[in-house]
Amino acid sequence: MSGAVDISLGQLALASLLLVVALGASIALKLGLTRGLAVAATRMVAQLFLVGLVLEWVFSSENALLIVSLAVGMAVLAGHAAVRRTSRRYPQIWADALVSVLGASFVVTGAAVLGILQIEPWYDPQYLIPLHGMLLGNALTGISLSLDRFMEGAGRERGLVEARLALGATRWEAARPLFRDAVRTGLVPITNSMAVMGVVSLPGMMTGQILAGAPPAEAVRYQILIVFMIAACVALAALGVVGLAYRRLFTADHRFHPDRLRAA
Amino acid sequence: MSVPLVSLRNAGRRVGERWVWRGLDLDVAPGDRLAVRGPSGAGKTVLLRALAGLDALEEGEVLSEGGPVRSLPRHRAAVAYAAQRPALFEGTVEGNLRAPFAFAVRDGDAYDAERARSLLARLGRDAGLLAQSVDGLSGGEQQTVGLMRALLTDPTVLLLDEPTAGLAPERAEAVEAVVAGFLAADDRRAAVWTSHDAPQLDRVTDQSLDL
């Protein structure tokens, strides 16, 4: 089986004509999206070319420090993006999201490249960067969903939480329903997508591998690996970030501080 | 004189920039029946919440049996705060009365269904209320459930925040009688009341704190 057809710049220009469909709809229906579409499309092209350049550079360097720095940089962006999607915040939320996303993604990526795939060298960017990137995208969603749910619950169920505390509950007994609900919410998307994977949706990574010439059976194995990794990473990240948020809103002296929450 | 059950020493609570009260000293001793009086906004609820250890003080401290509070869950189990508008847990009335016994602090104590039924009767409510969902309860019924939930845990100090506001006079009398009976059953027990009904405070308490 051969690799994919190389796409020339001329062919890309041809592909950009496909955008005319969306632009045409926007103009004809006066959706007011024309400018937005054009800007977004331009940004997408520029960002991807830039990422391509960075990756080419990092891939050819074979420098472990550089590769790990890239992975850390990606995680920082993911943590930041996760918090930006929340509707309430507390002062240390940025640090908490960052710690969770870094911890969860590095533990799981590490387990995969060192333990399961046993890549030599372990920092081979061909494996490390795409696996890590897939995890981050999902961890980001898991963190923002579970954090948002936890803080929303703490605000909405403030009276119930206080009632439990007033009746002698420890901070954990008072917060447990919120905690469980939040972690569950973070795990719903990956659970749902696993159930329909390959039937309703063809996963992007698998499709990409097949396009690049990999035998479908091999692409499927990678896909299964990555989905297990994603599930573990999302679970770790959601548990981690809700645990940290719990410690900010419920102090060790069993007091509840909903006043630390601010609308974003 | 016996050791006070719960005390405030040089206590101050600030909300935003404003001191609700400051430099407050208070002892609630066994057998005390204390009224907390003051106009609306004087910080009566804030005081009860501070005694229960729900909100931290900006100044001073809360003492439990003359010493620092070591464990807030233990303190709150002994000093029960019954809110004017209690937050009730999803489910039935009986589920709410049972809920406090699931907490580690009451390890060994069990919910007494017979006692709940008799308490309900003395409060002038139908036994059928126990099986009802909390969703359909009137404001007065919610208040009754909140009070019962606190009473059934056998606290030493009962903090009653407007326990009869919005109740018909005969129901308010029933609440007074039930609380009196609760206090009489153990001479260590004490109660702190707030009420808009000054004659009621005169009936049910024998000392008062003006905020």
Side-chain angles (χ1 to χ4, degrees):
Chain A
M1 191 172 269
S2 66
V5 176
D6 278 337
I7 302 182
S8 69
L9 288 178
Q11 286 168 308
L12 273 189
L14 202 59
S16 72
L17 289 179
L18 292 172
L19 198 62
V20 170
V21 177
L23 286 172
S26 170
I27 293 167
L29 297 172
K30 297 194 172 65
L31 299 178
L33 287 173
T34 318
R35 207 187 132 83
L37 269 170
V39 171
T42 313
R43 274 191 62 162
M44 182 272 288
V45 171
Q47 286 166 0
L48 287 181
F49 270 116
L50 205 64
V51 164
L53 286 177
V54 171
L55 289 180
E56 290 266 3
W57 175 56
V58 172
F59 274 44
S60 60
S61 78
E62 293 179 17
N63 177 339
L65 188 66
L66 195 62
I67 294 160
V68 171
S69 306
L70 180 67
V72 171
M74 289 160 64
V76 170
L77 290 179
H80 186 82
V83 175
R84 286 199 42 185
R85 289 191 197 173
T86 57
S87 53
R88 294 165 200 241
R89 291 173 199 162
Y90 55 88
Q92 306 90 342
I93 192 170
W94 303 92
D96 289 352
L98 182 60
V99 166
S100 313
V101 75
L102 270 178
S105 63
F106 273 80
V107 164
V108 176
T109 306
V113 297
L114 296 173
I116 300 170
L117 293 171
Q118 303 189 352
I119 309 293
E120 287 282 348
W122 60 267
Y123 55 82
D124 186 345
Q126 186 197 338
Y127 296 91
L128 193 93
I129 297 299
L131 291 178
H132 197 68
M134 293 285 292
L135 292 187
L136 290 177
N138 287 279
L140 186 164
T141 313
I143 286 179
S144 66
L145 285 177
S146 53
L147 248 188
D148 213 33
R149 182 69 170 213
F150 186 69
M151 295 186 293
E152 197 249 343
R156 182 170 34 88
E157 296 190 6
R158 178 185 176 145
L160 290 174
V161 171
E162 282 198 335
R164 285 187 209 109
L165 289 173
L167 290 164
T170 61
R171 61 172 173 160
W172 174 242
E173 287 170 329
R176 189 165 44 199
L178 299 182
F179 192 100
R180 278 211 302 236
D181 190 41
V183 174
R184 184 187 292 127
T185 303
L187 283 173
V188 164
I190 181 64
T191 312
N192 289 346
S193 78
M194 268 199 278
V196 298
M197 200 163 281
V199 184
V200 177
S201 70
L202 273 187
M205 194 192 78
M206 193 174 104
T207 319
Q209 268 191 301
I210 293 172
L211 272 176
E218 188 179 307
V220 163
R221 290 184 193 192
Y222 267 94
Q223 185 60 40
I224 292 172
L225 167 74
I226 192 80
V227 172
F228 285 150
M229 288 173 66
I230 288 171
C233 181
V234 169
L236 275 180
L239 271 174
V241 84
V242 177
L244 290 171
Y246 159 73
R247 295 174 64 94
R248 306 290 184 192
L249 298 184
F250 293 84
T251 42
D253 58 359
H254 306 285
R255 280 203 172 95
F256 177 43
H257 301 273
D259 50 304
R260 290 185 182 171
L261 289 176
R262 294 272 179 282
Chain B
M1 202 186 114
S2 53
V3 179
L5 300 167
V6 57
S7 319
L8 293 177
R9 286 286 172 270
N10 193 28
R13 270 291 280 134
R14 194 177 53 208
V15 175
E17 292 297 296
R18 187 177 78 95
W19 285 96
V20 183
W21 29 257
R22 228 183 156 174
L24 199 64
D25 285 297
L26 172 69
D27 287 313
V28 180
D32 277 1
R33 294 180 303 146
L34 174 73
V36 177
R37 298 175 197 256
S40 197
K44 300 186 291 288
T45 295
V46 177
L47 178 72
L48 296 191
R49 290 176 56 94
L51 286 171
L54 283 171
D55 304 322
L57 298 172
E58 274 74 23
E59 270 183 6
E61 60 179 331
V62 179
L63 302 181
S64 172
E65 316 241 337
V69 175
R70 290 220 171 69
S71 150
L72 272 176
R74 209 172 287 283
H75 176 79
R76 291 172 184 146
V79 182
Y81 170 62
Q84 183 178 356
R85 283 187 212 87
L88 300 181
F89 309 125
E90 205 177 79
T92 63
V93 168
E94 188 157 35
N96 269 271
L97 303 181
R98 245 177 225 287
F101 296 93
F103 301 139
V105 73
R106 277 186 204 86
D107 185 31
D109 294 353
Y111 167 72
D112 183 343
E114 200 39 58
R115 197 173 151 207
R117 257 186 287 279
S118 103
L119 189 56
L120 200 61
R122 275 183 289 140
L123 287 166
R125 305 278 184 185
D126 190 81
L129 191 69
L130 285 177
Q132 263 185 45
S133 156
V134 296
D135 291 335
L137 298 187
S138 70
E141 285 168 332
Q142 292 179 28
Q143 234 176 341
T144 303
V145 175
L147 178 67
M148 286 179 64
R149 193 170 61 181
L151 284 173
L152 289 172
T153 63
D154 282 333
T156 317
V157 181
L158 196 52
L159 306 173
L160 299 164
D161 200 354
E162 298 281 354
T164 60
L167 291 187
E170 65 275 13
R171 290 209 192 281
E173 274 171 40
V175 167
E176 288 175 24
V178 160
V179 172
F182 177 79
L183 295 176
D186 180 342
D187 58 11
R188 269 182 64 76
R189 287 176 181 164
V192 182
W193 293 67
T194 73
S195 175
H196 279 95
D197 181 356
Q200 177 184 54
L201 286 182
D202 295 337
R203 280 197 300 277
V204 297
T205 62
D206 51 18
Q207 33 182 325
S208 63
L209 171 76
D210 287 299
L211 285 178

